[in-house]
Amino acid sequence: MLLPFVVTASAVISLVLILGRSYHVLILLVIAAGWSQAPLITLTRSDAFQYLDDVPAAVLVAAAVIRSFSSQDKRLHKALGLMLLLVILVGIGFVRSPDADIGIAQARQVLMPLGLVFAGFVYRDDIKWRKISAYLLLLAGLTVAWALAEEVMQAPLLDPAWYHVNVVGGNPRSMRMGLPPAYFADGVSNGDLTFRPGGPFMNPPVMGFLLGLGAFAAVARLRSLARLGMLAAIGATLFFAYARAGILIFLVVTVIYFIWTKVGKHAGILVGLGLGGYLFTTFIEQGNTASHSDGLLSGFMLGLQSPAGLGFGTTGYQAALEGASTGVGSESLLGLYFAWIGWPMIAAALLLLVHLGRLLRRVPRTQSLPVWLAVGFLLTVASSESASSMASTPVLWLTVGSVVAMTVPLRPTVRPAPAVMGTRFPSRPSLPRSTSRK
């Protein structure tokens, strides 16, 4: 009986916040729900909170659809048309799935993230991003404290075994030393198992996304010693957690961004390529990193060969749990999208890459931080299926949508817009506003 109450209460609160135009509070609810979901389920031994992170996000997406439908802005109408096309493609993928439960789970892996991209596009100018960055700093700080305590103890603060088996659906035989396999990294230290703190998310890779966002917020909001201290704490936590996705986002919004702004664009590109090569050669032999890159390539090739894709239920984590996975496109969310949907998703990815490239060429360097966050996150989408988790990535998907909505400046004299993340650089990083609503 608790599950319907939690879902209803969450939906009602989210709806009230939408009607009150308190979008930043709703996004705080989304972040806090994802942060607290695993601990609540573990402490109560109840699945009543399993949709705690999905409901507020779903309400935000639904509100964005209604907003676009009633708006006179032609850009929103076009975005709504693309969203409806996505729903049709997902419906076709679901019909082709050999198992309804797997089809529903994998349809969610497409609709929720890309729905949030749509919501970020729609609400880009209405969200109080400065407050969102403050919320991210708070939650990232709490996550750092939790994870570092686990690192000192070399054990999780809350036992994740029940959560892993009964909620995630993990195989009990896959446990290592009584913990889910994600709590250990292979081949990092003389071939021995290395403990990885999972924090409140009870999953180191998923935790990495929030910490990457925390680094972004620190660069955007903090200055001087406060910024350095926060980035050092986040960097240390990511290192102990061996969270590759979080490390990648961290490096993009710190090292690459600072070189891009302080030294120059060419230097930023060269350093980015150098870091990418170093990370590739460092990680490729450790753990399951190779399967991530293989998943992207195999998913892309399958998408090229199958214009309509395979549909759901053929590959991915949920299909693997049921023994139906072919292994194609696994360990890469973008690879899965290519395999599931085919040519439409490949075309969308190429168009997005072109748009991001144009933005980085034309947007003033000090205003490019959100663009770099989108670039860093999309690289993790290409290399991690965990990017679809609503526990830690909703703000990242929303940011991608807000960046997609950016108009490319034609001249250096384009009128600047208010700072999106309240940054405190000499030239405040900001996003040019999208075209005005008619």
Side-chain angles (χ1 to χ4, degrees), residues 127-438:
I127 296 173
K128 297 179 180 178
W129 292 102
R130 183 177 177 83
K131 292 187 176 181
I132 300 301
S133 63
Y135 302 150
L136 290 172
L137 284 173
L138 173 62
L139 270 296
L142 293 174
T143 303
V144 165
W146 187 312
L148 290 182
E150 292 186 337
E151 176 63 23
V152 171
M153 297 168 52
Q154 287 291 287
L157 294 181
L158 293 176
D159 184 5
W162 185 90
Y163 179 81
H164 175 70
V165 174
N166 294 279
V167 179
V168 179
N171 188 335
R173 291 191 295 272
S174 68
M175 300 285 238
R176 298 181 177 183
M177 300 169 61
L179 297 176
Y183 272 83
F184 298 95
D186 293 311
V188 178
S189 177
N190 299 321
D192 297 330
L193 288 179
T194 301
F195 176 78
R196 306 164 67 190
F201 299 96
M202 297 187 179
N203 186 305
V206 172
M207 179 181 67
F209 288 104
L210 182 71
L211 292 178
L213 270 171
F216 168 62
V219 172
R221 284 293 304 271
L222 304 179
R223 61 167 59 182
S224 188
L225 293 179
R227 180 196 294 161
L228 289 176
M230 189 65 179
L231 289 177
I234 291 174
T237 306
L238 287 169
F239 173 78
F240 291 131
Y242 203 68
R244 299 173 182 88
I247 291 172
L248 179 57
I249 295 173
F250 179 90
L251 291 175
V252 169
V253 299
T254 56
V255 176
I256 304 302
Y257 173 70
F258 282 126
I259 292 176
W260 184 266
T261 56
K262 304 299 182 182
V263 181
K265 294 183 177 181
H266 295 299
I269 292 173
L270 289 175
V271 172
L273 291 174
L275 274 175
Y278 172 75
L279 291 175
F280 179 79
T281 56
T282 300
F283 289 152
I284 194 63
E285 298 298 332
Q286 298 176 352
N288 295 319
T289 303
S291 65
H292 293 256
S293 56
D294 290 343
L296 175 62
L297 179 60
S298 59
F300 176 73
M301 294 305 298
L302 183 63
L304 284 179
Q305 298 166 12
S306 306
L310 290 177
F312 301 134
T314 56
T315 188
Y317 181 72
Q318 295 294 331
L321 289 177
E322 301 297 328
S325 177
T326 63
V328 175
S330 61
E331 304 290 359
S332 166
L333 183 61
L334 187 57
L336 289 174
Y337 284 174
F338 292 156
W340 288 337
I341 298 177
W343 286 8
M345 191 57 63
I346 293 176
L350 292 175
L351 290 174
L352 180 57
L353 285 176
V354 171
H355 183 63
L356 291 176
R358 293 178 65 199
L359 289 176
L360 288 175
R361 287 198 310 271
R362 299 186 182 183
V363 168
R365 284 181 289 172
T366 54
Q367 298 178 9
S368 64
L369 181 58
V371 184
W372 278 113
L373 177 64
V375 170
F377 176 56
L378 290 173
L379 289 174
T380 68
V381 171
S383 60
S384 172
E385 190 175 351
S386 299
S388 65
S389 169
M390 287 297 101
S392 61
T393 64
V395 175
L396 287 162
W397 292 107
L398 287 169
T399 301
V400 172
S402 73
V403 169
V404 170
M406 290 176 65
T407 52
V408 179
L410 299 178
R411 299 181 303 275
T413 55
V414 170
R415 181 173 61 87
V420 169
M421 284 293 181
T423 46
R424 298 188 178 187
F425 293 110
S427 297
R428 299 164 70 89
S430 60
L431 294 179
R433 283 192 180 273
S434 57
T435 54
S436 60
R437 298 182 179 85
K438 297 181 180 180

Side-chain angles (χ1 to χ4, degrees), residues 78-96:
K78 293 178 180 178
L80 178 61
L82 291 175
M83 185 64 193
L84 294 178
L85 175 61
L86 175 66
V87 172
I88 293 173
L89 293 173
V90 168
I92 294 173
F94 173 77
V95 170
R96 298 171 65 188

